Amino acid sequence: MTDSNKDNTLDTEEVGLTPEEEAKCWEAFSAFDKDSSKYIDANELRIVLEMMGQKTTEEEIFRMIAEADAENTGKITYVQFKRVIAE
């Protein structure tokens, strides 16, 4: 999984998702991105996990974000989310 066309984004074919998987991935990302900011932050991640019945600590939330957030911004972009889903 690499940015083969060097446009700083991972296109569907670069991530290896079918168009149907891409649509479902966007749907899942949008469910987390409650404020439509194009990012998932710690609070949004916590809310969705709680809705799913998952009790998580602050440390667990930040560890989950850190695993996806290669740029260390404290939030997950769609490209980062897609990368995690495709792994």
Side-chain angles (χ1 to χ4, degrees):
M1 177 170 31
T2 60
D3 181 18
S4 58
N5 62 1
K6 308 289 187 232
D7 65 355
N8 293 321
T9 64
L10 290 176
D11 302 321
T12 300
E13 60 277 359
E14 294 171 328
V15 175
L17 299 177
T18 67
E20 295 80 20
E21 290 170 330
E22 175 80 21
K24 288 181 181 185
C25 191
W26 177 252
E27 185 179 331
F29 180 84
S30 298
F32 281 89
D33 183 21
K34 298 293 187 191
D35 64 359
S36 300
S37 65
K38 306 278 192 260
Y39 298 100
I40 299 170
D41 62 27
N43 189 50
E44 290 169 323
L45 182 56
R46 182 183 312 99
I47 288 169
V48 173
L49 291 174
E50 285 177 0
M51 288 172 54
M52 294 170 51
Q54 300 285 328
K55 298 293 181 188
T56 54
T57 65
E58 288 284 317
E59 183 179 328
E60 291 169 323
I61 295 287
F62 286 109
R63 190 171 51 240
M64 287 179 208
I65 289 175
E67 287 176 23
D69 179 22
E71 294 153 8
N72 208 19
T73 62
K75 52 192 174 185
I76 302 169
T77 65
Y78 179 61
V79 170
Q80 293 166 335
F81 184 82
K82 219 174 14 174
R83 189 176 296 134
V84 169
I85 296 298
E87 287 180 347

